[in-house]
Amino acid sequence: MAHTIGVISIKGGCGKTTVVSNIAAIMANEFNKKVLAVDANFSSPNLGLHLGIINPKKTINDVLNDKCSPFDPIIEHDFGFDLLPASLGAKKTSPNRLKNKLHILKDNYDFIVIDSSPNLNDEMLATMMAADKLLVVSSPDYPTLSCTMHATKIAVGKKTPIAGIVLNKMYNKQFELTIDDVEDATKVPVLAALPHDVNVMHALSQTAPASIYYPKKELGVEYRKLVGSLINEDYQDPRLLKRLFSRPNKVDENRELLRGTWKP
Ligand SMILES: Nc1ncnc2c1ncn2[C@@H]1O[C@H](COP(=O)(O)OP(=O)(O)OP(=O)(O)O)[C@@H](O)[C@H]1O
Ligand SMILES: [Mg+2]
């Protein structure tokens, strides 16, 4: 039975869809998992666009409106995982049915990864309810942190466990919030500190997840470490010098603590 990971934030543009496509690609290609990525950003879906799927014939909107089976719109993507796309401009759906519809698919996958809407409405609540655990995407600035604190509070209220925060688009500048700042404010561990990397935008222009091209760059390694801890599999940094001379940092420690919370 698949384990379902919801990727949320209530601030637009901080990287949810990018995180979903990258972790799905790494789970499938690096760790040989059977993965389904689901676009549950019903009002402004773009997971398909990130992956070069422009106008799918059937979508999750049809599934939620009982127009087809949840299996019908699934696309076997060349990147090694399956995609359940959504459609832009579709008429109002029933997002609170997401959990039941995804349940039908669970026997076919090891992991289901859900891309959520940034809007704090029933769309995001649908992801929270459908997920076994959540990743909250944030970036190291006050406005995003305040949204992240709010998102974590709501998730706690809904009783969906939060695996941790993915801190994205880090420049490692003095003016940024630190990992400690974010953890102190949210009481949630940071599970990845992903650098701001122009290759992510370049990869998007090629409709591909950047991390698969850069297995030895900070971005690619950090994504792989995140996935390894989420799915409870070992992963070793391929950069010998880093392995020999860097000590585990706070985020490495958080990932170690997360290991074992999911068992196949
Ligand atoms: N680590 C990164 N470095 C540089 N650019 C990034 C990084 N992560 C994401 N981006 C870029 O940020 C933009 C927004 O990313 P994305 O669409 O994933 O955000 P989102 O949270 O899903 O947005 P929305 O809330 O609108 O759905 C994209 O152009 C993406 O390429
Ligand atoms: Mg998005």
Side-chain angles (χ1 to χ4, degrees):
M1 259 241 175
H3 190 74
T4 305
I5 299 171
V7 178
I8 62 162
S9 75
I10 48 179
K11 184 134 191 333
C14 53
K16 295 174 291 300
T17 307
T18 308
V19 167
V20 167
S21 71
N22 277 281
I23 66 177
I26 292 171
M27 282 174 177
N29 294 298
E30 194 93 17
F31 294 97
N32 282 319
K33 300 297 175 194
K34 185 102 178 68
V35 183
L36 174 68
V38 178
D39 196 343
N41 184 353
F42 306 113
S43 43
S44 49
N46 50 34
L47 181 59
L49 294 177
H50 275 239
L51 295 163
I53 305 297
I54 294 168
N55 211 352
K57 284 201 180 81
K58 286 185 181 164
T59 65
I60 191 165
N61 307 64
D62 300 310
V63 175
L64 295 173
N65 289 321
D66 284 331
K67 294 265 167 53
C68 67
S69 126
F71 291 95
D72 288 351
I74 290 177
I75 294 166
E76 269 182 49
H77 201 284
D78 294 345
F79 289 127
F81 57 89
D82 287 358
L83 170 69
L84 181 45
S87 37
L88 190 62
K91 62 180 185 179
K92 195 167 166 30
T93 52
S94 318
N96 53 356
R97 305 176 70 202
L98 183 68
K99 181 179 179 142
N100 293 341
K101 296 293 183 184
L102 294 185
H103 192 78
I104 299 169
L105 301 169
K106 276 194 157 188
D107 279 342
N108 294 58
Y109 295 96
D110 299 315
F111 290 94
I112 296 177
V113 189
I114 311 175
D115 182 18
S116 146
S117 161
N119 301 322
L120 186 49
N121 54 23
D122 52 357
E123 294 189 24
M124 185 193 287
L125 298 182
T127 294
M128 285 188 179
M129 282 150 62
D132 296 312
K133 65 176 171 243
L134 295 168
L135 284 178
V136 187
V137 182
S138 189
S139 50
D141 59 84
Y142 280 113
T144 310
L145 177 63
S146 102
C147 292
T148 304
M149 289 166 70
H150 197 48
T152 56
K153 251 189 218 153
I154 292 164
V156 169
K158 291 280 159 204
K159 300 199 169 26
T160 309
I162 304 171
I165 289 173
V166 174
L167 213 43
N168 191 28
K169 302 191 189 182
M170 298 196 72
Y171 287 89
N172 283 322
K173 298 280 186 199
Q174 283 259 304
F175 57 75
E176 285 178 331
L177 296 175
T178 64
I179 287 163
D180 284 343
D181 292 335
V182 173
E183 293 190 339
D184 286 349
T186 58
K187 312 290 177 232
V188 176
V190 172
L191 290 180
L194 298 166
H196 186 279
D197 187 333
V198 74
N199 290 314
V200 176
M201 284 124 105
H202 182 240
L204 178 60
S205 75
Q206 308 295 308
T207 61
S211 60
I212 58 174
Y213 296 126
Y214 306 106
K216 292 190 177 178
K217 284 202 166 206
E218 192 56 33
L219 181 93
V221 172
E222 191 69 3
Y223 260 121
R224 283 164 177 77
K225 287 181 176 176
L226 167 67
V227 171
S229 71
L230 276 176
I231 71 174
N232 197 14
E233 296 245 347
D234 289 333
Y235 168 75
Q236 209 181 34
D237 193 328
R239 300 165 301 178
L240 183 64
L241 292 180
K242 285 268 183 192
R243 271 209 320 271
L244 291 178
F245 298 112
S246 335
R247 290 220 193 126
N249 59 29
K250 180 75 177 43
V251 180
D252 290 318
E253 285 166 13
N254 288 340
R255 287 189 282 247
E256 272 320 302
L257 284 175
L258 180 71
R259 269 175 204 291
T261 58
W262 177 81
K263 292 257 183 325

